[in-house]
Amino acid sequence: MKRKVLLVEDDELIREFVSDYFKKEAWEVYEAQHGKMAMELFALHSVDLVVLDIMMPEMDGWSVCRKIRQQSDIPIMIITARVDDDDQLMGFELGADEYVTKPFSPKVLVARAKALMKRAEGSIGRGDDIAQFGALTVNKRAHTVTIAGVPISLTPKEYELLLFFIRHEGTVLSRDSILNGVWGMDYFGDHRTVDTHVKKLRAKLDTEQHLIQTMIRFGYKFEAKR
């Protein structure tokens, strides 16, 4: 079955160029030239990934990301010419899973999209299919997380971060080790990205007041040196 991507980019040449690379890799591509059209297409089609530019007419990428996150945990990749750390943090705060700055190689972009989808589909950290920590249950095959039987909705990056903590249970983890393990060696963004995602993950795991027995068991601590 073909994967489906919603490509949102107001620059027609960039959009066509990126679209061609996705199609070469057998993706089905839906193209939007502004945010309003993106939301219309998102409502009409079931897509597996959103690749989203920030600076657009009608509705900017921040607004699109926020609206999509209100109704879906689908993987979102942001592409933009804005390179400020605060902009990247804004994207992650809104729930984006990847942040790619322009100029970029469409071939590399598609490769990163494929890697993101593999992580989102639960192909990493398989081992035993079920991980149980008190009331917290992670089904790696089904890619689901529950607390006391109640489903917890996580973004792909939050889910990957949770798996990383599980694989390193009881280990004191530095920001660098988390960045390398979850975001990859080629990530050069702000280390505060880790803080942002851990904060959001903690908030979701704390829904049923199981924060202490889950996060402490995972051994999540920062190095003393900041």
Side-chain angles (χ1 to χ4, degrees), residues 48-64:
D48 303 298
L49 172 70
V50 176
V51 177
L52 178 64
D53 188 24
I54 294 302
M55 304 304 294
M56 297 183 298
E58 299 290 336
M59 181 189 298
D60 66 20
W62 300 135
S63 299
V64 173

Side-chain angles (χ1 to χ4, degrees), residues 82-93:
R82 303 177 65 160
V83 297
D84 291 344
D85 289 340
D86 288 341
D87 287 329
Q88 295 193 38
L89 289 172
M90 170 70 80
F92 291 130
E93 284 278 5

